[in-house]
Amino acid sequence: ALLDTASTTTGEELSASIRVLKQIFSHNSDLPEMPRMFASKLLGLGLRVYIAKDYHNAEELFRILSTSGEIDGKNNLAYMIRRGETSDTSPEQLLYAVRILKDGIESGEPFSYVNQALLFALCFGSETDWHLSDDLMEALPDTNIESVQSWWQDLGNEDDVEGFLVHYFLLRHK
């Protein structure tokens, strides 16, 4: 019920509910797949609270998903880390973001490719990193590309530099 009504709760109520979910998941550690059973609802809720700029709760939800191995959770958490929207903005977190995107890249998930490319280009930024970003975008799988275009087009429409950069790469590599 929490996951169905969470959009009508306050940030504090949602934080408390997330703490309860984490306790349930930790008490059932012998069932590591438990968070995955709720993955689509957790992801949907995480995206809603992220769009509402409730970064704390979005981070908590994406960390639950990421820890359970969900690629979408890893992508969204890496996205937030890259943009400095998490509670820990240390440089080590950027390296953590690189690591958690690995599974998505290995499985051909395009959001993982774009997140990794943006990490190298915007967060590390050496000439070698820019070349690596370009190589990642050139290798970007065609699957689900419409979602990639749509997400970063919306960012571009908000004058977010990432939106322009991703579309530059997409145009560059046709």
Side-chain angles (χ1 to χ4, degrees):
L2 155 72
L3 298 176
D4 293 324
T5 61
S7 62
T8 61
T9 62
T10 67
E12 287 180 21
E13 292 169 330
L14 182 57
S15 292
S17 297
I18 290 170
R19 282 192 298 278
V20 169
L21 276 175
K22 289 168 81 173
Q23 287 175 340
I24 291 169
F25 294 151
S26 71
H27 289 302
N28 291 286
S29 59
D30 56 327
L31 299 169
E33 70 280 357
M34 184 179 259
R36 293 182 121 179
M37 294 172 11
F38 303 100
S40 66
K41 291 206 180 249
L42 291 170
L43 181 63
L45 179 57
L47 290 171
R48 282 197 306 275
V49 298
Y50 178 82
I51 289 168
K53 299 190 182 328
D54 180 354
Y55 298 140
H56 171 76
N57 284 319
E59 176 185 356
E60 289 293 314
L61 290 164
F62 295 146
R63 281 196 190 278
I64 291 170
L65 287 165
S66 178
T67 302
S68 73
E70 284 294 316
I71 288 175
D72 289 335
K74 292 177 180 185
N75 277 330
N76 288 305
L77 181 57
Y79 178 89
M80 290 184 71
I81 290 169
R82 185 185 73 251
R83 294 172 64 92
E85 297 168 337
T86 56
S87 56
D88 182 355
T89 58
S90 67
E92 293 79 21
Q93 285 297 294
L94 295 174
L95 297 175
Y96 175 69
V98 168
R99 283 193 307 275
I100 64 175
L101 290 169
K102 182 179 179 261
D103 291 339
I105 290 172
E106 288 176 352
S107 69
E109 208 297 309
F111 279 92
S112 297
Y113 277 76
V114 174
N115 273 315
Q116 194 78 282
L118 290 172
L119 264 165
F120 284 111
L122 299 177
C123 297
F124 301 130
S126 73
E127 184 176 339
T128 302
D129 294 322
W130 275 94
H131 287 290
L132 184 54
S133 295
D134 192 50
D135 290 345
L136 281 164
M137 292 301 289
E138 183 176 25
L140 183 69
D142 286 340
T143 57
N144 202 23
I145 197 71
E146 295 83 14
S147 294
V148 168
Q149 289 171 322
S150 176
W151 180 265
W152 274 280
Q153 180 176 345
D154 289 347
L155 288 181
N157 289 340
E158 296 172 7
D159 289 332
D160 189 308
V161 69
E162 285 187 7
F164 300 120
L165 182 56
V166 169
H167 278 83
Y168 163 76
F169 277 128
L170 292 174
L171 289 170
R172 175 175 160 76
H173 296 295
K174 298 173 184 49

